[in-house]
Amino acid sequence: MRTIFLSISLLFFAAVPGFCSDVVKPQETRDSSSNGYVSKPVAAFETVTTKGDLLSSQAHGARALLISLWGLNCGSCLDEMKVLEPFYREFKDQGLKIWAVNTEDIGGKEIEEGLRNKGIEVSYDLIPDPGLEITKLFTSWFIPVTLIVDSEGIVQYYKVGFNEADVEKIKAMVGSFLVR
């Protein structure tokens, strides 16, 4: 019986695009510099937003680029999106860009409708990830994932999961890039 349950569980989790850290708590590192992303160039990718704008990680043109990988059914992801919106509105004119990459293999209209149904409005870039190519670059399938990339294209911050304690750290790091 255990073997059958384990097999079914493994099949289920293998089919799910991303695990919300609300459900499965990943091992969090205290020092994000040890994860293999920080202090290295951001992975190269090009994508299109739900509005049809072409974006390139290698030519993002921001003083600070925050990349958030999220899912519609992830409570922590949606909490982070709500926190990022006023932050983005405050600092977008100083060079902050936010790219919210949806980790489900769904289209832009479904993403926008899903957020609307949850009462969430964002003015930063929403990015579908057909084929989950961007998701595969930055996650081990736990979400949300937050990266901060500096103007030189170097990842300065990487974190799996989200809680209110992260907000001040993210603000301070992004703020340090915006005042340069």
Side-chain angles (χ1 to χ4, degrees), residues 111-127:
I111 292 169
E112 290 175 344
E113 183 179 315
L115 287 174
R116 198 171 27 257
N117 289 340
K118 293 181 183 294
I120 298 173
E121 290 184 38
V122 297
S123 56
Y124 48 83
D125 291 315
L126 295 171
I127 300 171

Side-chain angles (χ1 to χ4, degrees), residues 1-2 4 7 16 37 40 47 50 52 56 59-60 67 78 82 115 142 152 164-165 174:
M1 183 73 162
R2 273 190 184 167
I4 293 170
S7 297
V16 177
Y37 293 97
K40 295 184 179 161
T47 189
T50 57
S56 169
H60 60 76
I67 301 172
L78 299 175
K82 291 174 193 173
L115 287 174
F142 290 103
E152 303 298 317
E164 290 298 319
V174 168

Side-chain angles (χ1 to χ4, degrees), residues 60-66 88 91-98 149 174 177-178:
H60 60 76
R63 284 186 169 167
L65 170 63
L66 189 148
Y88 175 70
F91 294 105
K92 67 181 179 179
D93 293 336
Q94 295 176 37
L96 172 65
K97 290 185 181 179
I98 297 177
V149 180
V174 168
F177 297 128
L178 298 180

Side-chain angles (χ1 to χ4, degrees), residues 46-111:
E46 289 189 349
T47 189
V48 178
T49 69
T50 57
K51 305 288 187 220
D53 298 325
L54 179 65
L55 303 176
S56 169
S57 65
Q58 301 301 291
H60 60 76
R63 284 186 169 167
L65 170 63
L66 189 148
I67 301 172
S68 174
L69 291 102
W70 65 282
L72 283 168
N73 294 313
C74 172
S76 293
C77 300
L78 299 175
D79 289 344
E80 181 182 49
M81 292 181 85
K82 291 174 193 173
V83 168
L84 291 177
E85 179 57 23
F87 181 61
Y88 175 70
R89 288 179 189 230
E90 183 177 350
F91 294 105
K92 67 181 179 179
D93 293 336
Q94 295 176 37
L96 172 65
K97 290 185 181 179
I98 297 177
W99 295 355
V101 179
N102 181 272
T103 60
E104 301 152 301
D105 195 3
I106 60 176
K109 291 193 187 311
E110 294 149 308
I111 292 169

